[in-house]
Amino acid sequence: MTSSSAVHSALAPYGWDDAWADAFTPYEAEGLLPGRVVRVDRGQCDVVTPRGVLRADTAFVTPHDPLRVVCTGDWVAVEPGGNPRYVRAYLPRRTAFVRSTSSKRSEGQILAANVDHAVVAVSLAVELDLGRVERFLALAWESGAQPVVVLTKADLVPDPVTLAHLVQDVGTTAPGVPVLTVSALHGDGLDVLVALVGSGTSVLLGQSGAGKSTLANALVGEDVMDVRAARDVDGKGRHTTTTRNLLPLPSGGVLIDTPGLRGVGLFDAESGVGQVFSEIEELAQRCRFHDCAHESEPGCAVRSAVDSGELPVRRLESYRKLMRENQWIVAKTDARLRSEIRKDWKRKGAQGKAAMEAKRGRWS
């Protein structure tokens, strides 16, 4: 039996605390070992335990629900021996980063668990895609983690005025979110990021070619991740990271590096979208109708803000797009909501048809 002091000494650098120890108590009585999943690969995982890193099979706890499979960042109860050795259970997650899969079944895919900070890496080597930044932030807020946007490859924007404008553009799309500029190549801005991720667990997110592996190497202090050059034409690169890896940081805390995400689908992330577009949510409270769609309704505070220039039209369009996408994903698994959406579409279609007929009547 491993003593509690030995467990704490071995696992504290990976985030073990008294709350996790209490949650593990039932499994300790069964003689199982506590550990944190640092990598998952084809039904097997590497788990850091008081006895070192153990290889274990996840088949015992792999259900039909893809959101309940073992993932990087999970705290688990693992068998101390056996061939094969099995993970017997994972402890209740504090947070979970989930996106929708590309499958037609619209299942969720869990990317990382028990995350405190979601670091969204955005490359300055290519034109900013603010809509994609908003999408990443919606998923980050929904996970329960605190997001931070890191503009990588800042050395490619030597003009400080231009760089300040880019930071401002991102800041307007990320209310309440820190926006940092970093050059991992020269070390500029890393001290601020190191301080931010120096406690708890951080997950590193972004498209392929965003400089995540270079950033991970800079934070870890050694070349632990493969780095390859991005294409000049679009800034994209090959997936240098193919699995999610949990890495301890010398300054404290741990980092989960993820593969580049080409598709970032929402999965039941309405509250996350609301936080990304908090100014629209606040304006909506002043609309005349509580169910205002912010289209052509009278007394719409959101449309008034667009007309006055207070709210950029791009923000409203992006908000509508993400809300529609999220509603559609949820509706695929909710028959009642799906019926309501169809009724709403029919109602709006009838209103549009009536408006056209009224116009024809005036013209004739």
Side-chain angles (χ1 to χ4, degrees):
M1 182 72 67
T2 306
S3 68
S4 59
S5 60
V7 170
H8 181 81
S9 177
L11 298 182
Y14 292 88
W16 185 257
D17 57 27
D18 291 342
W20 289 122
D22 289 342
F24 187 76
T25 300
Y27 303 106
E28 184 179 17
E30 298 177 24
L32 299 175
L33 284 174
R36 193 165 195 191
V37 177
V38 297
R39 184 173 182 267
V40 178
D41 182 24
R42 298 179 182 178
Q44 300 257 309
C45 65
D46 294 334
V47 184
V48 59
T49 75
R51 300 185 185 179
V53 178
L54 304 178
R55 187 72 167 165
D57 197 304
T58 65
F60 191 85
V61 290
T62 299
H64 295 297
D65 183 353
L67 295 182
R68 297 178 60 193
V69 300
V70 172
C71 75
T72 303
D74 270 328
W75 286 99
V76 298
V78 64
E79 295 174 343
N83 187 20
R85 175 187 287 112
Y86 287 98
V87 171
R88 285 288 176 176
Y90 64 81
L91 304 187
R93 293 162 176 158
R94 294 177 182 175
T95 61
F97 196 97
V98 180
R99 68 166 177 174
S100 68
T101 66
S102 59
S103 71
K104 294 181 180 180
R105 290 179 293 180
S106 299
E107 295 174 337
Q109 177 191 18
I110 184 163
L111 300 179
N114 303 312
V115 173
D116 301 294
H117 308 286
V119 181
V120 180
V122 180
S123 174
L124 291 177
V126 293
E127 185 176 354
L128 285 175
D129 184 343
L130 298 178
R132 183 167 289 271
V133 173
E134 290 162 343
R135 183 177 290 270
F136 270 113
L137 290 175
L139 293 178
W141 280 122
E142 190 68 32
S143 75
Q146 167 65 48
V148 55
V149 177
V150 175
L151 303 180
T152 65
K153 307 180 184 181
D155 52 287
L156 299 180
V157 188
D159 179 24
V161 175
T162 302
L163 186 59
H165 282 309
L166 292 172
V167 172
Q168 183 178 16
D169 287 344
V170 175
T172 60
T173 71
V177 177
V179 180
L180 310 178
T181 58
V182 168
S183 170
L185 184 64
H186 301 295
D188 299 335
L190 276 176
D191 53 343
V192 179
L193 182 59
V194 166
L196 191 147
V197 302
S199 61
T201 299
S202 302
V203 62
L204 189 53
L205 306 160
Q207 285 184 283
S208 182
K212 297 190 308 305
S213 295
T214 302
L215 191 58
N217 288 339
L219 291 172
V220 175
E222 56 182 297
D223 292 341
V224 293
M225 306 306 297
D226 183 23
V227 177
R228 298 173 192 165
R231 297 192 299 251
D232 291 336
V233 63
D234 56 10
K236 296 181 180 179
R238 295 174 60 189
H239 290 300
T240 54
T241 303
T242 56
T243 58
R244 284 168 279 280
N245 303 276
L246 189 146
L247 311 165
L249 301 176
S251 59
V254 292
L255 179 71
I256 299 176
D257 190 23
T258 65
L261 301 176
R262 289 195 179 94
V264 193
L266 301 185
F267 185 80
D268 199 4
E270 182 175 353
S271 64
V273 175
Q275 285 180 276
V276 174
F277 298 92
S278 57
E279 80 277 30
I280 296 180
E281 297 274 300
E282 291 173 7
L283 286 168
Q285 295 178 10
R286 304 204 298 266
C287 291
R288 181 182 302 177
F289 304 108
H290 76 278
D291 58 347
C292 183
H294 319 309
E295 293 177 350
S296 57
E297 297 88 344
C300 176
V302 175
R303 289 296 311 175
S304 295
V306 171
D307 294 339
S308 68
E310 177 188 354
L311 177 67
V313 66
R314 190 205 67 80
R315 285 282 284 173
L316 178 56
E317 291 173 349
S318 183
Y319 172 76
R320 286 172 173 164
K321 178 181 179 180
L322 293 183
M323 278 298 195
R324 283 195 303 267
E325 177 184 328
N326 188 74
Q327 187 180 44
W328 179 245
I329 289 293
V330 174
K332 283 188 174 182
T333 56
D334 188 328
R336 180 188 58 80
L337 179 59
R338 191 161 58 243
S339 176
E340 290 178 357
I341 290 175
R342 288 198 181 106
K343 289 179 181 178
D344 187 53
W345 285 349
K346 289 180 179 179
R347 177 180 60 80
K348 289 181 178 179
Q351 289 175 344
K353 183 178 180 180
M356 287 300 297
E357 289 177 349
K359 286 183 180 180
R360 291 193 186 99
R362 289 196 299 269
W363 295 337
S364 59

